[in-house]
Amino acid sequence: MASAIVELRSDTFTMPGPGMRRAMAEAVCGDDMVGEDPTVNALEARMADLLGKEAAVFACSGSQSNQMAVWSHCRSGDELLIEETGHIANYEGGGPAVLSGVSCRKIRGERGGLNTALLNAALRPPNQHFSPTRLVCLENSTNIGGGATYVLEQLKAIRTWADEKQLLVHIDGARLFNACIARGYSAREVAAQADTVSICFSKGLGCPMGSVLVGSRETISRARRARKVFGGALRQAGFPAAACLYALDHHINRLAEDHANARFFAEQIAQIPGVKIAPHEVETNLVFFEIDSHIGPGAAIAAALKERGINLYAIAPQRLRACFHLDVDRAGAERAVVGLREVVQSGACVAGIHAGGNY
Ligand SMILES: Cc1ncc(COP(=O)(O)O)c(C=O)c1O
């Protein structure tokens, strides 16, 4: 049966299903702060192995594990390099400055991605006038960049360049498994190009919370201290960790369905006059598209869709984002196409502008 709402705002809206709930209810727990939660320990060991790193630490959220990485790699006064739309620099509450005294040098890239030429142009030489550059932060797959993924060769080139420049590399892999499924590479191959990688479990993997940061034993021991300092050290965290273990077993390969639904949605809405989108650019589960201004502002389109039971985000005056995940099936994607077509053709949003609009 179709659910009442087609929830396309984000994959963070996913709800745990019966199997995941059972796994959480049956989790064996202990006090993680003293390293005695067997389920957290199992998750950390499994993630370290999966990504080919010495150690891992469980964190509350993707933002927390990213900021633990920044804190672990940098000293106060350092600078990190990041693509200008990167989550770490834009959507984590100013975390690098607040928590680590680190500034972000933002670089305009392509669809959220960087390459060695762009990095090289942005890197400043050691000089007392400049903040020392310590870290490169990459996102794979990208969020605001449109769900784009790095080719493995690009990551290898960045790793080589960073080694030459004596810089560290962190990959924000909030949606790393989406990138792996789309590109056909392993999480381990990607992680080999970075010093640390953060993974989110509360997005496409469908868990209620949780993130893991992987890296060398020494770095992860610093990150563990950062977690404590940030107030994120955990106690009986085996309950959410059990959900993460469940997701590793059941929710990775199925990400391909989300990508297929996203591509389907993109191809269908490309046929609606006034909607601008390049369907071939949809690589993973995120679909960004533009609406011609004569149709109405993005926020009015989103409001009209909401009345039809379809939720998505207007992220800029004419730009909308739809995110596909395990709680949206093909029928949901079809409903979203029909709803958008009706809204665009009805003229309701133009009327909204004349009435003052809501943007
Ligand atoms: C690319 C990226 N990194 C990090 C995060 C942060 O995750 P959280 O919301 O768990 O802090 C997000 C969240 O959307 C994201 O898209």
Side-chain angles (χ1 to χ4, degrees):
M1 203 174 75
S3 83
I5 303 284
V6 182
E7 183 53 80
L8 298 175
R9 281 176 294 176
S10 178
D11 40 16
T12 59
F13 285 85
T14 46
M15 294 297 287
M20 185 177 282
R21 285 169 191 257
R22 212 166 22 249
M24 284 192 276
E26 291 168 3
V28 182
C29 296
D31 191 329
D32 178 50
M33 182 106 63
V34 294
E36 289 184 14
D37 187 302
T39 309
V40 172
N41 292 345
L43 175 66
E44 290 175 347
R46 182 148 170 206
M47 289 302 286
D49 181 55
L50 192 61
L51 280 93
K53 296 291 188 202
E54 284 174 354
V57 55
F58 189 43
C60 301
S61 69
S63 301
Q64 189 179 64
S65 56
N66 281 336
Q67 296 304 325
M68 284 155 53
V70 171
W71 195 89
S72 306
H73 290 313
C74 301
R75 293 210 313 236
S76 179
D78 285 349
E79 172 178 275
L80 63 79
L81 303 178
I82 188 164
E83 204 280 338
E84 67 176 359
T85 60
H87 201 276
I88 289 172
N90 294 284
Y91 305 105
E92 297 185 6
V98 175
L99 300 168
S100 304
V102 168
S103 53
C104 298
R105 176 163 293 272
K106 294 184 187 177
I107 305 168
R108 177 158 300 177
E110 208 182 313
R111 305 192 65 224
L114 292 172
N115 57 44
T116 52
L118 292 168
L119 284 162
N120 213 33
L123 182 67
R124 298 189 298 174
N127 178 306
Q128 63 175 335
H129 294 86
F130 305 144
S131 317
T133 309
R134 191 80 54 198
L135 179 65
V136 176
C137 291
L138 307 173
E139 214 168 278
N140 194 29
S141 58
T142 63
N143 178 347
I144 298 301
T149 58
Y150 278 92
V151 174
L152 194 57
E153 296 315 314
Q154 276 176 295
L155 291 173
K156 286 182 178 168
I158 292 174
R159 165 88 270 177
T160 305
W161 175 84
D163 285 346
E164 276 165 19
K165 304 293 179 192
Q166 297 183 311
L167 300 175
L168 298 162
V169 177
H170 170 69
I171 294 181
D172 174 352
R175 296 183 181 81
L176 179 65
F177 291 113
N178 292 87
C180 291
I181 292 290
R183 282 279 172 203
Y185 43 52
S186 69
R188 188 181 270 248
E189 284 173 297
V190 173
Q193 316 314 322
D195 296 283
T196 45
V197 181
S198 62
I199 305 278
C200 273
F201 284 91
S202 63
K203 307 211 160 52
L205 295 183
C207 300
M209 61 167 286
S211 170
V212 166
L213 180 71
V214 300
S216 70
R217 208 165 281 118
E218 195 189 331
T219 306
I220 295 305
S221 127
R222 273 205 296 280
R224 217 172 262 289
R225 172 155 163 72
R227 185 181 72 156
K228 177 67 183 159
V229 172
F230 300 169
L234 300 163
R235 300 294 184 179
Q236 284 69 39
F239 294 114
C244 301
L245 285 164
Y246 181 91
L248 291 176
D249 289 334
H250 298 95
H251 289 175
I252 293 184
N253 289 337
R254 64 150 309 287
L255 292 170
E257 287 171 41
D258 302 339
H259 300 175
N261 286 335
R263 181 62 84 93
F264 165 81
F265 175 76
E267 283 165 355
Q268 296 296 310
I269 66 168
Q271 294 164 32
I272 304 174
V275 172
K276 276 201 221 98
I277 181 164
H280 68 275
E281 286 187 356
V282 174
E283 292 176 55
T284 55
N285 65 329
L286 296 172
V287 181
F288 288 72
F289 58 99
E290 316 271 336
I291 297 280
D292 281 353
S293 54
H294 72 271
I295 291 169
I301 306 275
L305 282 168
K306 190 167 186 207
E307 282 170 19
R308 288 166 168 78
I310 298 152
N311 286 344
L312 45 67
Y313 275 140
I315 61 152
Q318 296 308 136
R319 193 164 163 78
L320 293 119
R321 186 186 87 165
C323 178
F324 289 81
H325 51 74
L326 84 177
D327 289 341
V328 178
D329 58 10
R330 181 55 64 98
E334 282 166 358
R335 261 183 72 196
V337 172
V338 171
L340 184 65
R341 190 181 296 121
E342 278 173 14
V343 166
V344 166
Q345 289 173 355
S346 69
C349 300
V350 178
I353 297 176
H354 294 315
N358 63 351
Y359 202 83

